[in-house]
Amino acid sequence: MFQATRRRLAVWYTAVTAVLLLLFATGFYFYVRNTLIDRIDDTLNHVVEIVERSLVIEPLKKPLSAADVLSGTKFQVNVQGSFRDGSDAVDDDHIDLEWFSPTGKLLWSTLSEPLNIPIHANRSGETVWVNHQLRFEGVEKRDLTAETHLAPRGEVADFDGGLKESVEEHRDSIAQIANRVSTKPISIRTTQNYSLRQVTQRVEIGRQVLGYLRVSHPWFEVTKPIRQLIIDLILGASLTLICVAAIGWLLSGLAMKPVRESYGRLKQFTADASHELRNPIATIQTNVQVALAEPDIEPQQYQQLQVIERLTRRLGRLVDDLLFLARQDSGIVQQQWIVVPLDALLIEVIEEQLAIAKTQNLSLSLEIVDSPNTEGNFTVLGDWDQLARLFTNLLSNSVQYTPSGGEIQVELQLGVKMLNPALQVKVTDTGIGISPEALPHIFDRFYRADPARTHRSAAGSGLGLAIAKAIVENHRGHIHIDSQVDRGTAVIVTLPAHKSETSRP
């Protein structure tokens, strides 16, 4: 119990820290990314200002076209004079320049190939994705010298005689063939994908647009440090989470230590109190039974002694239940497991409850569902007394909360659709049932459903199902309850089956 609580505390502490680290890493990532982008945009705008101031603007001597006459064009930019040294100035900074005419025609560029990106003014900066088609053309050269020499050498080696003279006669022609080179034209096409950060400035005098200046910067100078930053953040956050998880585990252990000690003292007190109360209760019960055996006792005193005896018996059962749970929680119970035939145990428990069921006009039956897989072997490895107590508690509840004329059925069979072999015991009654609101709490200690729905006045202490669950978990089993109000309850207990040596193939 405490280990599970400690684990949950450590997990919550680590999860909260992970969320905080994620928020911090996300904020830091966007801060660095935006800072890099702003720095590049500032650089591009600075280059635009410098180039714009260095433009050589000349008066238009004569109109170049009818459109110039109609638009009233008076000035033009001397491209050669303006960008004479521009390529060398920006090459070191990986910045490329493009100059466009007022109509958007590319007039000058530092790029080897045009980008084919539509031109539009944008001083705030934008990121564009470029798909650049590259084509390489050339020839494939093939040296025929080796091929020419192979045949004569082979012939000389294989045929020693007349062929040797033939080779000598044609040596000149062979030498000419050896100098021949075969050429084959080839063409290779490839696609180059990359991103650019661009700033475009419209250059104008008054209302006359002289052209457009576009400045581009490689985007990898943002993605490369950002990618490294992401790797660093992931590694740093992972190491931090590992350290936080370890520290959280230690701190949760320190936080749980006083709780564990308090709970241990409480369990010890419960065990000691239960143990110390057993002897006085047994003494009172013995004295009451001796007094009830007196022949000349008055009827009024006899009735009072019966009430005392009944209350003492109930108190004794409560003390026994508390002592059992305290020992189970503390783990001081020495397990003495044996091979228990579950069918024989159920027959014995039903025989004990059958007399009580008959007095209340209840039908109590046992059905053992045999199958080829069980081969009549319904055995489990466990404690006989604890298992008998488990099914006695379940049957007692069914007898207590089933109206007169009802039915109680116990069914034993091999669990179906299970990976490991298991035995399933199902206790079904036609009693008053349990409300849906009470079902999640029925295994809590001292919990009882609505007292107004109690069928009989002789109610238990609220520890029966808590004890049943403790016994089932102690035997590595599972217990489940389905119930409907006024229709009945079904309790399903699943226990690991024990395969005896005689039944093994």
Side-chain angles (χ1 to χ4, degrees), residues 54 61-62 76 87 107-108 112 157 263 276 295 321 343 414 430:
S54 64
K61 297 180 180 179
K62 61 179 180 178
Q76 66 177 0
S87 177
L107 301 179
W108 184 87
S112 59
Y263 186 73
E276 295 298 329
D321 292 343
D343 49 355
L414 181 68
T430 58

Side-chain angles (χ1 to χ4, degrees), residues 3-268:
Q3 285 296 105
T5 304
R6 180 182 182 184
R7 193 180 303 112
R8 284 194 296 268
L9 287 175
V11 168
W12 274 106
Y13 185 67
T14 306
V16 172
T17 306
V19 172
L20 295 178
L21 282 177
L22 179 61
L23 295 176
F24 169 77
T26 304
F28 187 73
Y29 163 78
F30 282 108
Y31 170 76
V32 174
R33 183 177 183 274
N34 293 333
T35 301
L36 292 175
I37 294 175
D38 292 342
R39 188 180 68 178
I40 291 179
D41 289 346
D42 292 341
T43 302
L44 294 178
N45 285 308
H46 180 66
V47 172
V48 167
E49 294 175 359
I50 294 177
V51 174
E52 190 175 6
R53 287 197 298 265
S54 64
L55 291 176
V56 179
I57 302 175
E58 300 174 345
L60 187 63
K61 297 180 180 179
K62 61 179 180 178
L64 300 178
S65 62
D68 295 336
V69 175
L70 295 176
S71 61
T73 303
K74 299 179 180 180
F75 299 95
Q76 66 177 0
V77 175
N78 187 340
V79 178
Q80 298 298 328
S82 300
F83 300 101
R84 181 175 53 242
D85 300 326
S87 177
D88 298 334
V90 299
D91 184 63
D92 294 338
D93 295 330
H94 304 288
I95 295 177
D96 291 302
L97 302 178
E98 294 173 285
W99 176 256
F100 297 86
S101 67
T103 59
K105 181 180 178 181
L106 180 63
L107 301 179
W108 184 87
S109 174
T110 60
L111 296 168
S112 59
E113 295 289 340
L115 297 178
N116 296 326
I117 299 176
I119 189 71
H120 62 277
N122 181 16
R123 285 297 299 269
S124 59
E126 63 178 349
T127 304
V128 297
W129 182 259
V130 180
N131 295 322
H132 198 53
Q133 299 288 337
L134 299 179
R135 181 177 178 180
F136 301 96
E137 295 184 354
V139 294
E140 179 185 10
K141 295 183 178 181
R142 184 179 178 186
D143 190 0
L144 300 180
T145 304
E147 298 180 6
T148 306
H149 285 285
L150 284 177
R153 289 180 182 176
E155 292 174 358
V156 172
D158 295 337
F159 305 96
D160 188 11
L163 289 178
K164 184 181 295 186
E165 297 177 358
S166 177
V167 170
E168 294 293 337
E169 294 176 357
H170 298 84
R171 184 176 297 276
D172 295 337
S173 61
I174 293 174
Q176 294 176 0
I177 296 174
N179 293 327
R180 294 172 53 193
V181 177
S182 174
T183 60
K184 179 181 179 181
I186 59 173
S187 177
I188 301 176
R189 294 184 179 182
T190 183
T191 302
Q192 184 181 11
N193 300 324
Y194 58 94
S195 298
L196 294 173
R197 187 71 178 178
Q198 293 183 339
V199 169
T200 305
Q201 172 67 20
R202 180 191 296 112
V203 180
E204 54 188 359
I205 296 179
R207 295 184 177 181
Q208 178 187 348
V209 178
L210 300 177
Y212 294 90
L213 175 64
R214 185 163 67 186
V215 184
S216 303
H217 191 283
W219 185 247
F220 72 84
E221 293 202 8
V222 174
T223 59
K224 185 177 180 180
I226 285 296
R227 192 178 298 114
Q228 184 62 39
L229 175 64
I230 293 175
I231 295 175
D232 295 340
L233 287 176
I234 292 175
L235 292 177
S238 301
L239 293 177
T240 304
L241 281 181
I242 293 174
C243 296
V244 167
I247 295 173
W249 179 258
L250 294 177
L251 293 179
S252 60
L254 295 176
M256 292 298 297
K257 185 176 180 180
V259 180
R260 186 184 295 109
E261 293 177 352
S262 298
Y263 186 73
R265 288 193 294 267
L266 179 61
K267 290 192 301 183
Q268 186 63 36

Side-chain angles (χ1 to χ4, degrees), residues 306-323:
Q306 281 185 328
V307 174
I308 296 174
E309 195 269 341
R310 185 169 60 251
L311 294 176
T312 305
R313 192 186 309 115
R314 184 182 302 174
L315 184 59
R317 287 197 300 267
L318 175 60
V319 170
D320 291 339
D321 292 343
L322 288 174
L323 184 60

Side-chain angles (χ1 to χ4, degrees), residues 319-372:
V319 170
D320 291 339
D321 292 343
L322 288 174
L323 184 60
F324 176 82
L325 290 175
R327 289 176 176 176
Q328 288 294 324
D329 292 339
S330 61
I332 63 176
V333 179
Q334 297 295 330
Q335 302 293 345
Q336 296 179 354
W337 284 10
I338 60 174
V339 178
V340 178
L342 204 56
D343 49 355
L345 185 143
L346 289 174
I347 292 174
E348 181 178 309
V349 172
I350 288 178
E351 288 178 351
E352 295 174 356
Q353 298 293 323
L354 191 58
I356 304 176
K358 286 183 178 181
T359 59
Q360 299 177 6
N361 193 22
L362 298 176
S363 173
L364 181 58
S365 62
L366 171 64
E367 180 182 0
I368 300 177
V369 181
D370 202 353
S371 64

